[in-house]
Amino acid sequence: MRVFPRAGRRTRITALTLLGCLPGLAAALVLVLYPPDPDHAVVVHLAAPAPASPDGRFRAPRPAIVPRSAWLDATVRRTQPPPRYDDRVVAVFVHHTDSPNGYPCASAPEIIRRLYSGQTGDRAWDDIGYNFIVDRCGTIYEGRAGGTERAVVGAHTQGFNHRTAGIAALGTFTAGVPVPRAMTDSIAAVAAWKLGLSDVDPRTSARLVSSNGLSRYRRGTVVALPAVAGHQDGYRTNCPGAALTARLPEIREAAARLQGRVSPAAPTALPTGPPTATPPGTPAATPAGPPAAPLPGPLEARLEPLRTPVAASVPASPGTP
């Protein structure tokens, strides 16, 4: 699907294939992410580990995040229901937006606005699906409403939106396409911070429950997926593209360093609450049927809208609606 510029508005983006809060003084950091040098990469110091937390937990500093108000305005904003929340985030899914790569970074807010317009318009979702969007210069944008520090239920990975966050790389990163270092550094920074709030090592795995049989796993199946996963780990898709997928091991290691972890990752999966029963006859890590080739077409056509009552199909846990 293509979204074309509104009449009377000049833009360098002629078409776009859709996919699928800085409080107080911190908001001033947003200013450095914009012109006069719009394509200046954001520097994330991945080599410096976070100081040890008093409680012994591994945390990472919160990266600078541009708020929704930078890209969402009254011309496209839609009325939406209140956000839904989980108790915590134990995994993140990395995506690409399947949109053009050659954009000036100053145009990123406009591109995100168009993603929002397509997903809430033609797709009839109630908000953009991703929790965070990262542009090629490494600027991190708040995506879905509800608060960047909270466990907001997204609409980014069919079957695995609960207890996860979606981080989308703005662009298309199929085989052979260069992935900017600034972009992967910022993805690692977001992953380290969000997972650190739950003391999750980015190099380990997390036990998640499939809420939808259209994912790679039957509904109700408990499966261990990487704590920093690609979209294709939970769904039959090419997302986040072969080039970005190849960078995921590097992103996991960088995120672990940001959390101050220097020891090898533990091999066991992270418990995510009370034991969840797997339906009789359904192995915990057995995909729903034989592996299938990635589905063709725009990625957004294969995402799970928030309008789908996912919560009703996931075993309840404390703090989960």
Side-chain angles (χ1 to χ4, degrees), residues 301-320:
R302 307 194 298 274
L303 294 184
E304 176 179 32
L306 184 60
R307 300 166 72 93
T308 303
V310 180
S313 65
V314 179
S317 57
T320 302

Side-chain angles (χ1 to χ4, degrees), residues 15 17 24 33 65 316:
T17 303
L33 305 180
I65 301 171

Side-chain angles (χ1 to χ4, degrees), residues 46 94-95 136 169 173-189 191 202-203 228-230 232-233 239-257:
L46 296 181
V94 177
H95 304 260
R136 67 183 185 86
F173 299 100
T174 50
V177 176
V179 184
R181 176 63 181 271
M183 175 177 276
T184 58
D185 284 354
S186 289
I187 292 173
R203 302 165 298 179
V228 178
Q232 62 187 2
D233 288 314
C239 181
L244 186 51
T245 297
R247 302 290 293 276
L248 290 180
E250 169 191 324
I251 290 171
R252 295 179 187 116
E253 290 295 332
R257 290 198 303 274

Side-chain angles (χ1 to χ4, degrees), residues 95-196:
H95 304 260
H96 67 175
T97 57
D98 202 18
S99 54
N101 292 336
Y103 56 89
C105 292
S107 296
E110 181 178 2
I111 299 171
I112 298 170
R113 186 161 53 248
R114 292 174 185 279
L115 288 169
Y116 169 89
S117 295
Q119 292 179 355
T120 60
D122 296 312
R123 297 297 301 166
W125 298 3
D126 61 359
D127 198 357
I128 194 168
Y130 314 114
N131 300 97
F132 303 93
I133 303 99
V134 179
D135 73 13
R136 67 183 185 86
C137 290
T139 304
I140 303 166
Y141 292 86
E142 177 186 14
R144 199 169 187 82
T148 57
E149 304 206 11
R150 301 191 64 180
V152 179
V153 178
H156 54 90
T157 305
Q158 180 141 267
F160 295 101
N161 287 319
H162 281 268
R163 285 188 163 184
T164 70
I167 306 173
L170 198 61
T172 301
F173 299 100
T174 50
V177 176
V179 184
R181 176 63 181 271
M183 175 177 276
T184 58
D185 284 354
S186 289
I187 292 173
V190 177
W193 170 61
K194 288 299 288 186
L195 295 177

